[in-house]
Amino acid sequence: MNPVLLDGGRLRARLVDGGPYAALDVVTVTGSTNTDLAAAASRGAADRTVLIAEEQEAGRGRMQRQWTSPRGRGLFVSVLLRPDVPQSAVSWVPLIAGVALAETVQRTTGVRASLKWPNDLLLGSGDEWLKAAGILGEAVAGPDGLALVLGMGVNLLQQRDELPRGAGGLPATSLVAEGGEVDREEFAVALLTAFAAVDDRWRAASGDVVRSGLLDRYRQLCSTVGQQVRVELGPDEQLRGVATGIDVEGRLMVRAESGLTTAVSAGDVVHVRRA
């Protein structure tokens, strides 16, 4: 059965006309929405420009990992941001996007969601967490200064036999596969509305995640905290220990058996695995 495609006009009426976004387009197919918006940023595109693709032929996550983006089965969206916050705060953008995403999933579908630091949405419970979404933030230099492109790829309608079975990492799932009922347009509106709300709080606090309350919200959703983890920092470098928390800079705190605690930045990490 052919998928029902998103209507760009209806989304613009709900999210741009009187809404929190400056512009929004839906394209049938592209390589990567992040790549397209990065090019638009270099041409001076406005803060909070949104691009949604029904299908991506070169969707990607962290470390240029492939993200499978089948037509009409998920939500593949990028947002261009030009926040007036200290540069030290911008590493929080993918994390606050995770807050909006996990809270939206739980509110709209009832499916239990958590966040795997730094950029994955997990669905399930206990030891049965499966990956349903990835988040990618990228900095872009342009004529109007530094911009950020925030991409989210969310599996919505795939059945279990349609999901990729890649080697390594967590198995994939979707909202429907976990028992959720999903209308793609309503989910897109709910997610983008929620993201604008957390972005507003973050900007109003000048990027301070403590004052905005977003650090506490992230910690409550992060299932990595409390786990025994193996952090791969490179081909021959690993850190093992207990993930004890997330600090104000968005770093994962890992306490080794020696008692030494190390703060790990997302940009330094290849993989975080349960030990």
Side-chain angles (χ1 to χ4, degrees):
M1 184 170 62
N2 291 329
V4 177
L5 302 184
L6 293 169
D7 186 310
R10 285 207 306 264
L11 288 173
R12 280 189 291 275
R14 300 178 70 177
L15 292 165
V16 178
D17 301 342
Y21 291 93
L24 183 150
D25 283 312
V26 178
V27 297
T28 302
V29 62
T30 190
S32 159
T33 55
N34 262 31
T35 298
D36 291 350
L37 269 195
S42 68
R43 298 191 297 268
D47 181 30
R48 286 189 173 174
T49 294
V50 178
L51 179 63
I52 297 173
E54 290 288 4
E55 178 183 353
Q56 294 184 114
E57 294 179 330
R60 66 184 193 281
R62 290 180 66 247
M63 306 292 177
Q64 302 298 315
R65 298 180 186 116
Q66 181 181 11
W67 183 266
T68 303
S69 311
R71 183 171 301 191
R73 308 300 279 169
L75 178 64
F76 315 117
V77 57
S78 294
V79 184
L80 171 61
L81 303 168
R82 299 186 184 276
D84 183 15
V85 300
Q87 189 167 350
S88 59
V90 299
S91 61
W92 265 96
V93 169
L95 304 185
I96 68 172
V99 170
L101 178 55
E103 290 179 349
T104 298
V105 166
Q106 295 187 140
R107 184 178 66 254
T108 62
T109 71
V111 175
R112 188 178 175 211
S114 77
L115 298 170
K116 175 177 177 283
W117 184 90
N119 71 321
D120 291 341
L121 175 81
L122 308 183
L123 304 180
S125 61
D127 292 331
E128 298 301 320
W129 292 107
L130 304 174
K131 181 175 176 177
I135 301 168
L136 177 64
E138 298 177 295
V140 182
D144 301 316
L146 183 69
L148 301 169
V149 176
L150 184 280
M152 292 180 277
V154 190
N155 295 335
L156 297 180
L157 303 183
Q158 296 97 320
Q159 300 297 326
R160 292 196 184 279
D161 60 0
E162 297 176 301
L163 292 159
R165 292 177 172 80
L170 288 168
T173 192
S174 72
L175 291 182
V176 164
E178 296 305 315
E181 294 186 8
V182 183
D183 178 297
R184 288 202 311 134
E185 179 178 316
E186 294 303 322
F187 186 84
V189 170
L191 174 56
L192 286 166
T193 301
F195 175 68
V198 298
D199 184 40
D200 282 342
R201 288 185 66 89
W202 180 69
R203 295 191 196 201
S206 298
D208 186 328
V209 290
V210 175
R211 184 153 54 94
S212 66
L214 289 167
L215 177 56
D216 284 342
R217 285 164 71 179
Y218 185 86
R219 286 172 171 167
Q220 290 169 10
L221 290 162
C222 184
S223 57
T224 307
V225 175
Q227 289 185 354
Q228 289 277 348
V229 296
R230 183 180 82 252
V231 182
E232 297 178 12
L233 301 168
D236 301 310
E237 186 178 2
Q238 292 187 356
L239 173 64
R240 290 176 176 265
V242 177
T244 59
I246 308 295
D247 73 4
V248 295
E249 296 180 30
R251 299 177 299 181
L252 182 68
M253 310 300 293
V254 181
R255 186 181 66 239
E257 287 187 1
S258 65
L260 178 67
T261 296
T262 301
V264 182
S265 297
D268 297 329
V269 171
V270 179
H271 288 292
V272 177
R273 310 286 199 202
R274 293 186 64 171

